[in-house]
Amino acid sequence: MSSETHSRDLTVVAMSGGVDSSTVAAMLHESGAPVVGLTMQLWNQRRLPELSPGEAPRQRCCSPDDVYDARRVAEHIGIPHYVVNFERRFEETVIRPFVEDYLAGRTPIPCAACNNHVKFDQLLVTARQIGASRIATGHYARVERNAQTGRYNLFRALDLSKDQSYFLFGLTQEQLAHAEFPLGNLSKQDVREMARRSRLPVAEKPESQEICFVPSGNYTDFIEAYRREVLAAREGPRTTEGEADNWPDPGNEAGELVTISGEVVGRHSGVQHFTVGQRRGLGIAAPRPLYVLEIDADARRVTVGEEKELWRDRLEVRDVNWIAWPALDGPIEATVKIRYRHEPVPARIEPAGAASARVHFEAPQRAITPGQAAVFYRGDEVLGGGWIS
């Protein structure tokens, strides 16, 4: 964005309290852009106290300490700062689906859901309400407008070790048109140095690796605590009609661990304790290592097998969002990434309905996991992506 445009448009910076978004705020302010910092209150960290008995909330993304740090940074660089409460929206679109996915035998990605439904949706609404035309974040990615097609294209960051385009595949053209990723051309080292030069209070702050609403890092403990709270309040004012109606009865979740041939080799206490590719924590002894191959929540059955049985050469994707074009008209060759730490690999993608696709890999891939995202690339460009079904 040019300095002339900056002088005209107010930009909202989504300030998480970390070094990345803080550096973005400093960069834009120093460029002469009118900037407002907004910090999203997404989850009450003191809720479900049984997860952290006798402890203050730990340092992690979206904690009370992060809100304080964001405010300190805003004061330091001299920009307005406000906290906006999106707890209800976050619970409805991120936390509840997170719990439901695990109970259905899927492995969700809450960060991608938060980007789609909160950071680049609800925050954009708030930004417009205060007269801002753009949202800037600390994501490592790049967005460019294609002059020929008129569409906004998404690209991987230049620093591939920090690239976060995988989590942004669900952004719409409307959202990309108002998004700005100033760190897309920088390395993490560059960002740290800029933060130091600007004397930001968070210049040396470590990165958070945890899911922001899981204080212990143990997602199964969170699922159990959250579900107990919801079920206990089922008849109360907090519970919407139909909420948790399809959740399994906590007293009736035990099931079988079976091999591909159907042989029962053990029992489990709930499918939410497993993910495809998992080896540890199966609770069974075997002459050779066993891995989770498949999870059938309806039958409460977890299929296990040898590592060689984890490899598959195809998958199906639902709720596909195309970025490079409005829809996929026919088969294409691209590379596909099936988890965040997975290197994109060659595949053939073909349409399978209005918002579905089939992916055929050139070579089998290990531990294709329902609930994760399959993101499609052509070089550094993100063509689109969807959820592995």
Side-chain angles (χ1 to χ4, degrees):
M1 181 182 289
S2 69
S3 59
E4 181 181 4
T5 304
H6 273 320
S7 67
R8 197 168 55 236
D9 296 338
L10 176 65
T11 300
V12 158
V13 179
M15 298 183 68
S16 68
V19 65
D20 292 329
S21 60
S22 297
T23 302
V24 167
M27 289 171 62
L28 294 181
H29 179 64
E30 290 170 7
S31 75
V35 177
V36 172
L38 293 185
T39 298
M40 294 172 287
Q41 174 63 40
L42 301 177
W43 177 249
N44 181 356
Q45 302 289 356
R46 291 178 175 79
R47 193 168 160 186
L48 307 179
E50 64 269 36
L51 296 178
S52 303
E55 299 179 10
R58 290 171 51 186
Q59 174 61 52
R60 59 191 181 278
C61 175
C62 306
S63 73
D65 286 343
D66 288 318
V67 176
Y68 172 73
D69 285 343
R71 181 176 292 114
R72 280 202 305 157
V73 169
E75 291 176 352
H76 174 75
I77 62 180
I79 64 171
H81 175 263
Y82 305 96
V83 178
V84 289
N85 191 314
F86 293 154
E87 286 186 26
R88 181 184 295 274
R89 176 75 169 177
F90 187 74
E91 184 166 2
E92 290 174 351
T93 61
V94 179
I95 289 184
R96 195 169 299 146
F98 173 86
V99 173
E100 290 172 348
D101 274 349
Y102 266 113
L103 294 176
R106 297 184 290 269
T107 305
I109 311 176
C111 293
C114 183
N115 287 331
N116 294 350
H117 303 298
V118 182
K119 288 181 180 175
F120 293 93
D121 181 78
Q122 199 66 27
L123 189 62
L124 180 58
V125 172
T126 302
R128 285 171 168 162
Q129 289 173 343
I130 64 173
S133 61
R134 297 182 69 79
I135 295 176
T137 74
H139 288 96
Y140 287 81
R142 294 175 291 153
V143 60
E144 298 175 7
R145 185 177 184 276
N146 187 315
Q148 292 183 326
T149 66
R151 295 183 69 82
Y152 288 86
N153 298 143
L154 179 67
F155 296 87
R156 296 202 290 179
L158 290 188
D159 183 353
L160 294 182
S161 68
K162 295 300 298 179
D163 172 56
Q164 293 172 301
S165 62
Y166 177 80
F167 299 111
L168 301 169
F169 76 89
L171 298 190
T172 65
Q173 285 294 299
E174 171 71 8
Q175 292 166 341
L176 288 170
H178 295 87
E180 186 172 355
F181 306 125
L183 306 186
N185 293 314
L186 303 175
S187 69
K188 185 70 178 192
Q189 183 178 356
D190 293 333
V191 172
R192 288 280 185 196
E193 288 301 321
M194 295 178 71
R196 291 174 185 131
R197 287 198 299 270
S198 297
R199 301 184 182 278
L200 299 184
V202 296
E204 307 303 331
K205 186 175 180 178
E207 293 185 81
S208 172
Q209 302 296 329
E210 298 178 337
I211 297 175
C212 66
F213 53 87
V214 182
S216 65
N218 187 323
Y219 68 87
T220 55
D221 285 350
F222 175 86
I223 290 169
E224 295 308 311
Y226 179 79
R227 185 166 53 155
R228 284 194 300 268
E229 180 193 74
V230 171
L231 293 175
R234 195 167 185 169
E235 303 302 324
R238 287 182 57 85
T239 306
T240 59
E241 184 178 354
E243 181 181 324
D245 285 349
N246 296 322
W247 289 3
D249 182 344
N252 188 31
E253 291 182 342
E256 297 174 337
L257 292 162
V258 302
T259 64
I260 288 180
S261 64
E263 177 189 0
V264 177
V265 294
R267 292 188 62 79
H268 65 80
S269 59
V271 299
Q272 66 271 22
H273 297 283
F274 303 94
T275 186
V276 171
Q278 178 179 333
R279 176 184 172 185
R280 300 183 184 277
L282 302 186
I284 54 178
R288 55 180 58 90
L290 294 179
Y291 301 80
V292 174
L293 305 180
E294 185 178 343
I295 302 169
D296 185 341
D298 291 336
R300 301 193 298 278
R301 183 181 299 116
V302 176
T303 302
V304 297
E306 297 181 38
E307 201 269 347
K308 64 182 180 181
E309 296 168 312
L310 274 174
W311 296 79
R312 301 283 187 273
D313 63 1
R314 66 189 63 188
L315 60 82
E316 294 192 359
V317 187
R318 60 176 173 83
D319 299 331
V320 176
N321 177 61
W322 292 105
I323 297 175
W325 42 71
L328 186 64
D329 296 329
I332 60 169
E333 302 295 325
T335 58
V336 179
K337 189 171 184 172
I338 58 172
R339 63 181 64 87
Y340 177 49
R341 295 300 182 187
H342 178 254
E343 187 65 26
V345 294
R348 177 182 173 87
I349 305 168
E350 58 187 37
S356 300
R358 294 189 185 91
V359 176
H360 302 269
F361 294 104
E362 284 189 6
Q365 300 300 303
R366 186 184 186 278
I368 297 173
T369 306
Q372 293 284 287
V375 180
F376 315 137
Y377 293 85
R378 181 170 287 163
D380 285 338
E381 183 180 0
V382 180
L383 304 178
W387 302 103
I388 299 173
S389 58

